């Protein structure tokens, strides 16, 4: 039995491959295995070529797969497109009706017989794959029944018949590719980064989400909208991003924890509100899921190129924190933390993720909700309402009260203002107010997440990454260590502010440092240099719209390793 | 009725004689007539001379960005339906920079009141044409006179079936205050296009100009056809009063999650979060 299996499902948009990948992924996780499903979809609703890459394993997996043991092709194009990436002895499932020349590993599935109508083909494929992977029939049946329940008993039973027939056919006609079992049944979740982000926001008590649809952030708003009534959240699809972000500030003024999901193109429009949050000292969380630019770029692909945009967005000088989750669990925990940090610092906090992380489905342990720290609250005391000043400057963070709660009057202002929030132009008050706001850096600094280091203290090769590139680095470092290289990784899940005392030593101690990023100019390496003076001369960069993989990084590290 | 002194006396940055002073008095009067204590309402604005009014009324206030008064005001109402929310802005702010937000606000029909101090000019930036400046009006930036057709906010709002559309003139103090009260009492989005002269930069649409033209409407505001006809009249005669009114539920009353009052008071229900999380198993 193998420890790991890589699957690729290819076909046209509109064929229901996402349903197969979703249900099969869930089945894999329910059967106790680990999962990573990466989607490659085109920016179109029908046609074109999409694929879902699944990495299944009996132990936790990190980055996306490079080669595949099984290709399930729902369109002929798919066979040619992915042939080069198939591993030795790979199985290729095609439609038996395609009349293809026989070759080793090629299996024609009689879809016309197994699925009376084309709409059943995805369930037929699921039956075949489920049987090959040795997933218990009960798990598959339950998932299929749940998935079609809303469509009525008739549809459920037809789909279950297709599933059973397909599994029977596969048992007789395909090789089996099972993974080692987990033994005892463990509960794991199958979710993508955006779903975990939504959960983190809910756990932090999010009450308002303002958004304007843009891939790959839309599913955050959709996820919140699904549970909005039950969880008590207002999700407003605004007329544009400018409105969405300004709404979030209005909601925050009203005491509602607010989130604004968007991507680079939408965020570009929101920068005026970022600046407004800065001067108003308004807590707000922006979730920026990056995709390639400039401008509309590649709408459904991934990149890590908006760090500098998010870092500098907004005019004038004010502080912010930028959290960059590396994996699904981080999406949950860092979102929860972002709300706390936004309230503690009374300003904008960013979650900077990307399309890969946002949409890749992973197996993950349920989050420990009981041990979550509490999220900071506004001041609900209403003590001495007449003496209350929103921008009391005796401390960098003034008590923030909520309009309508008690008799205290709250004034939020976009101009430079005095302690009460009234417009001023006096030089001395301006300086004092600006100093007060800048002093909030201490609040942010006190909470900075140090980067995660893996490997030996004195490494020959130190790989530095941030956000979703982090986990690929860990995998690469592990592979290199297995080959006898003294490799280590340093992964940043907070990219601003930085606390050099938590990592600078590591950079100096390594023989060779390589930055690995999903952009074309090594933005994070530049930021590290600007902040610490440390220059990372080598980099492995990916900006073809695809996620970094271990194979991609290893190939480009080869010349660097040779020179070591 | 409470004393309008409770809303404070502030030194303003407006020119002596500016129509904004009258709008401020009308607003305070309207608030007092409704017995609204300062902590029960919030005034939200954008940028411009009109928008400064937030700083001249004792109450809760949100002075946001140019053109962006409506988005935060609507969100505030959604997360705290208990607060009375009044938006004050200029014609440049609401009909120019924030035009898209006005259209969306009409469609959303949240229970808020938008009072546009319409002086048909940009006051704060010293005299450029605004969307309501009349064709032919010579301004600093239009030495040949404005070529563009003026925007008719009342007609647009009626055409979109905004649930309350009124026009008033700040020079008629009682009319202005009564119109604001009617707008605030209306359950749903209300627009008050408040003509309010800029004595420094608009030498065409002066107090006297409005005074001789503004006439109370006589049609039934529930009659959309009549309202539309009236809305198209602007020039030699300027109809003032409630132009169109229609009762339909405001959005915050339709959203179940808004029915329990202010949202900030709700504790996080971790059991529900847990149940939602386990739906991914
Ligand atoms: C984003 C932005 N653009 C431009 C300005 C400059 N600005 C300030 S007020 C104003 C126009 C004011 O006109 P109006 O809204 O009619 O208000 P009034 O001053 O006449 O009351 C402009 C363009 C600004 N503050 N912000
Ligand atoms: S410039 Fe015009 S709008 Fe501004 S205060 Fe003076 S008169 Fe009023």
């Amino acid at each position: 039995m193998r420890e790991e299996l890589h699957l690729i499902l290819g076909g046209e948009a509109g064929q229901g491959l996402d349903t197969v990948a979703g249900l099969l992924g869930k089945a894999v996780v329910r059967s106790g295995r680990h999962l990573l499903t990466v989607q490659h979809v085109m920016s179109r609703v029908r046609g074109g070529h999409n694929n879902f890459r699944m990495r299944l394993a009996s132990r936790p997996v990190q980055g996306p797969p490079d080669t595949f043991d099984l290709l399930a092709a729902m369109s002929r194009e798919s066979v040619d497109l992915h042939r080069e990436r198939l591993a030795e002895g790979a199985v290729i499932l095609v439609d038996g009706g395609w009349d293809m020349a026989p070759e080793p590993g090629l299996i024609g599935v009689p879809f016309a017989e197994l699925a009376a109508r084309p709409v059943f083909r995805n369930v037929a494929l699921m039956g075949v794959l489920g049987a090959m992977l040795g997933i218990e029939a009960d798990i598959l049946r339950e998932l299929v029944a749940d998935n079609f329940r809303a469509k009525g008993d008739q549809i459920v039973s037809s789909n279950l018949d297709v599933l059973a027939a397909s599994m029977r056919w596969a048992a007789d006609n395909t090789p089996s590719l099972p993974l080692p079992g987990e033994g005892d049944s463990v509960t794991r979740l199958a979710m993508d980064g955006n779903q975990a982000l939504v959960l983190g926001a809910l756990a932090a008590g999010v009450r308002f989400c303002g958004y304007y649809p843009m891939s790959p952030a839309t599913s955050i708003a959709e996820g919140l909208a699904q549970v909005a009534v039950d969880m008590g959240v207002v999700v407003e699809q605004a007329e544009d991003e400018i409105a969405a972000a300004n709404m979030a500030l209005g909601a925050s003024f009203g005491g509602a924890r607010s989130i604004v999901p968007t991507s680079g193109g939408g965020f570009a429009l929101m920068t005026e509100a970022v600046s407004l949050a800065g001067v108003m000292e308004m807590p707000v969380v922006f979730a920026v899921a990056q995709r390639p630019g400039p401008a509309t770029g590649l709408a459904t692909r991934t990149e890590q190129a908006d760090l500098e945009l998010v870092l500098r967005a907004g005019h004038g000088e004010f502080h912010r924190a930028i959290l960059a989750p590396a994996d699904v669990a981080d999406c949950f925990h860092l979102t929860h933390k972002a709300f706390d940090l936004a309230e503690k610092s009374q300003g904008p906090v960013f979650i900077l993720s990307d399309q890969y992380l946002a949409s890749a489905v992973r197996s993950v342990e349920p989050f420990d909700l009981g041990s979550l720290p509490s999220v900071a609250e506004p001041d609900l005391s209403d003590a001495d309402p007449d003496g209350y000043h929103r921008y009391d400057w005796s401390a960098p963070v003034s008590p923030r009260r909520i309009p309508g709660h008690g008799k205290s009057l709250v004034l939020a202002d976009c101009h430079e203002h005095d302690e009460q929030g009234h417009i001023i132009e006096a030089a001395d008050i301006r300086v004092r107010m600006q100093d007060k706001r800048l002093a909030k850096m201490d609040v942010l600094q006190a909470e900075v997440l140090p980067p995660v280091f893996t490997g030996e203290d004195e490494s020959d090769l130190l790989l530095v990454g941030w956000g979703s590139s982090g986990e690929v680095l860990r995998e690469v470092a592990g592979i290199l260590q297995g080959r006898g290289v003294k490799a280590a990784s340093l992964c940043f899940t907070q990219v601003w502010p930085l606390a050099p005392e938590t990592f600078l030593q590591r950079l100096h101690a390594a023989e060779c440092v390589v930055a690995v990023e999903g952009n074309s100019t090594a933005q994070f390496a530049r930021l590290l240099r600007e902040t610490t003076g440390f220059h990372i001369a080598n980099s492995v960069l990916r900006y073809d719209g695809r996620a970094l993989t271990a194979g991609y990084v290893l190939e480009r590290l080869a010349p660097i390793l040779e020179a070591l | 009725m409470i004393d309008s002194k409770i809303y404070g006396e502030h030194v303003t940055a407006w020119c002596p004689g500016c129509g904004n002073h009258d709008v401020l008095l009308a607003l305070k009067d309207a608030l007092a007539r409704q017995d609204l204590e300062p902590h029960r309402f919030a005034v939200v604005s954008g940028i411009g001379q009109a928008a400064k009014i937030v700083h001249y009324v004792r109450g809760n206030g949100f002075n946001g960005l140019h053109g962006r008064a409506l988005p935060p005001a609507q969100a505030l109402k959604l997360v705290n339906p208990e607060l009375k929310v009044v938006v004050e802005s200029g014609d440049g702010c609401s009909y120019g920079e924030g035009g898209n937000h006005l259209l969306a606000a009409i469609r959303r029909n949240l229970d808020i009141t938008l009072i546009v101090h319409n002086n048909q000019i940009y006051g704060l930036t010293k005299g450029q044409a605004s969307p309501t400046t009349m064709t032919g009006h010579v301004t600093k930036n239009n030495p040949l006179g404005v070529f563009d057709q003026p925007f008719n906010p009342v007609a647009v709002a009626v055409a979109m079936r905004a649930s309350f559309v009124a026009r008033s003139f700040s020079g008629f103090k009682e009319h202005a205050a009564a119109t604001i009260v009617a707008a605030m009492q209306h359950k749903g989005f209300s627009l008050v296009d408040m003509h309010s002269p800029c004595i420094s930069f608009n030498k065409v649409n002066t107090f006297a100009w409005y005074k001789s033209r503004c006439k109370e409407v006589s049609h039934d505001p529930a009659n959309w056809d009549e309202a539309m006809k009236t809305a198209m009249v602007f020039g030699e005669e300027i109809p003032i009063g409630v132009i169109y009114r229609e009762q339909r539920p405001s959005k915050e009353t339709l959203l179940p999650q808004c029915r329990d009052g202010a949202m900030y008071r709700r504790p996080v229900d971790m059991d529900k979060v847990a149940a939602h999380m386990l739906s991914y198993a």
Side-chain angles (χ1 to χ4, degrees), chain A residues 101-187:
Chain A
E103 62 176 292
L106 187 87
I107 298 173
V109 181
F111 280 116
E113 283 163 43
L114 296 174
R117 289 191 295 147
V119 286
F120 292 129
R121 285 193 179 196
N122 52 7
V123 170
L125 178 61
M126 188 176 153
V128 172
L129 292 172
M132 292 177 77
L133 299 173
I135 294 173
E136 273 178 57
D138 278 351
I139 295 180
L140 296 172
R141 272 200 294 269
E142 200 177 292
L143 283 166
V144 167
D146 280 353
N147 192 60
F148 294 102
R149 182 149 297 139
K151 297 193 170 164
D153 291 348
Q154 185 63 45
I155 302 284
V156 171
S157 80
S158 312
N159 275 289
L160 287 176
D161 290 346
V162 173
L163 182 76
S166 309
M167 292 182 77
R168 270 197 309 277
W169 179 86
D172 298 336
N173 296 287
T174 62
S176 81
L177 300 166
L179 292 172
E182 266 292 325
D184 50 5
S185 65
V186 274
T187 303

Side-chain angles (χ1 to χ4, degrees), chain A residues 26 30 187-191 195 198-199 202-205 207-208 227-234 236-240 242-243 246-247 249-251 253-256 272-273 276 280 282 366-367 369 372 380 386 402-415 421-423, chain B residues 10 37-42 44 46-47 52 54-66 68 70-76 78-80 82-83 97 100-102 104-105 108 251 255-258 262-270 272-281:
Chain A
K26 233 175 176 175
R30 281 197 191 171
T187 303
R188 286 203 195 91
L189 316 170
M191 62 165 52
Q195 289 165 335
V198 164
L199 262 184
L202 292 173
R207 294 284 169 233
F208 185 85
V227 298
V229 173
D230 189 40
M231 299 297 304
V233 188
V234 174
E236 190 63 33
Q237 179 177 333
E239 51 274 26
D240 54 35
I242 295 172
N246 280 282
M247 278 181 174
L249 297 193
F253 176 64
E272 60 163 45
L276 181 61
M280 277 192 166
M282 202 67 88
F367 310 118
L369 301 178
L372 285 174
L380 298 178
D386 290 334
I402 304 303
H405 178 86
K407 302 229 164 185
S408 303
L409 299 178
V410 192
L411 183 53
D413 187 26
C414 70
H415 304 88
H422 286 301
I423 306 173
Chain B
H10 298 79
E37 294 161 278
H39 63 282
R40 298 204 185 282
F41 67 85
V44 181
I47 294 296
K52 289 180 184 165
V54 170
H55 299 279
Y56 311 143
V57 182
R58 232 187 109 242
N60 294 296
F62 184 105
N63 186 177
L65 299 174
H66 188 48
R68 315 299 174 215
L70 283 168
Q74 292 170 93
L76 177 60
L78 282 165
V79 303
N80 188 350
E82 294 159 19
L83 274 180
E97 186 88 62
N100 189 25
H101 307 313
L102 174 64
R108 272 189 202 100
K251 182 163 181 173
L255 294 174
Q257 60 269 53
C258 297
M263 298 189 101
Y264 73 89
R265 285 196 218 103
R266 280 204 197 178
V268 185
D269 188 337
M270 276 297 178
K272 280 190 177 174
V273 178
H276 178 52
M277 175 174 76
L278 291 174
S279 71
Y280 288 96

Side-chain angles (χ1 to χ4, degrees), chain B residues 20 47-50 66 90-93 97 119 121-125 130:
Chain B
N20 287 333
I47 294 296
Q49 295 287 35
H66 188 48
D91 40 303
C93 198
E97 186 88 62
N119 53 19
I121 205 82
Y122 279 12
L124 186 55
T125 46
S130 90

